């Protein structure tokens, strides 16, 4: 974030919402993806994914407030969440659901 640009209230509100809800959605997508694809026993996959999602959520929050614009942060969060969720929920040949 540039120090010279004044942030509007809308930009700050959008970043806070992106950090809360977008970060949560990204953490959910990360958990779903890794609970399907990690090469561990199912219980271990779920526990590892669930614990690691807090680090993902924290990284998302840091990224949202460091991004150049709130729109860019939203686009990255939505794109990554969609990709992770599609990869987790679309393949049926594995017979595993998160």
């Amino acid at each position: 974030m540039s120090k010279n640009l004044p942030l509007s209230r809308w930009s700050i509100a959008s970043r806070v919402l992106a950090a809360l809800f977008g970060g949560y959605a990204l953490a959910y997508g990360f958990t779903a993806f890794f609970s399907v694809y990690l090469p561990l026993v199912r219980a271990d996959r779920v526990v590892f994914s669930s614990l690691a999602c807090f680090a993902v959520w924290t990284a998302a929050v840091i990224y949202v407030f460091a991004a150049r614009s709130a729109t860019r942060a939203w686009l990255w969060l939505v794109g990554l969440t969609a990709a992770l969720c599609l990869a987790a929920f679309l393949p049926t040949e594995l017979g595993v659901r998160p």
Side-chain angles (χ1 to χ4, degrees):
M1 204 165 18
S2 176
K3 293 179 182 178
N4 297 332
L5 294 175
L7 294 176
S8 66
R9 289 183 182 192
W10 169 248
S11 176
I12 294 171
S14 179
R15 286 177 193 264
V16 169
L17 290 175
L20 288 174
F21 298 113
Y24 179 81
L26 181 65
Y28 173 76
F30 174 84
T31 303
F33 179 80
F34 279 102
S35 66
V36 171
Y37 290 108
L38 275 179
L40 300 171
V41 179
R42 181 180 171 92
D44 292 339
R45 284 184 300 192
V46 172
V47 168
F48 180 81
S49 305
S50 299
L51 291 176
C53 81
F54 292 107
V56 170
W57 197 350
T58 303
V61 169
I62 291 170
Y63 172 72
V64 163
F65 285 101
R68 287 186 182 197
S69 69
T71 304
R72 178 178 284 200
W74 272 110
L75 288 176
W76 272 103
L77 289 176
V78 168
L80 283 174
T81 301
L84 289 171
C85 287
L86 285 175
F89 287 104
L90 282 183
T92 58
E93 66 271 3
L94 294 176
V96 178
R97 288 287 179 210

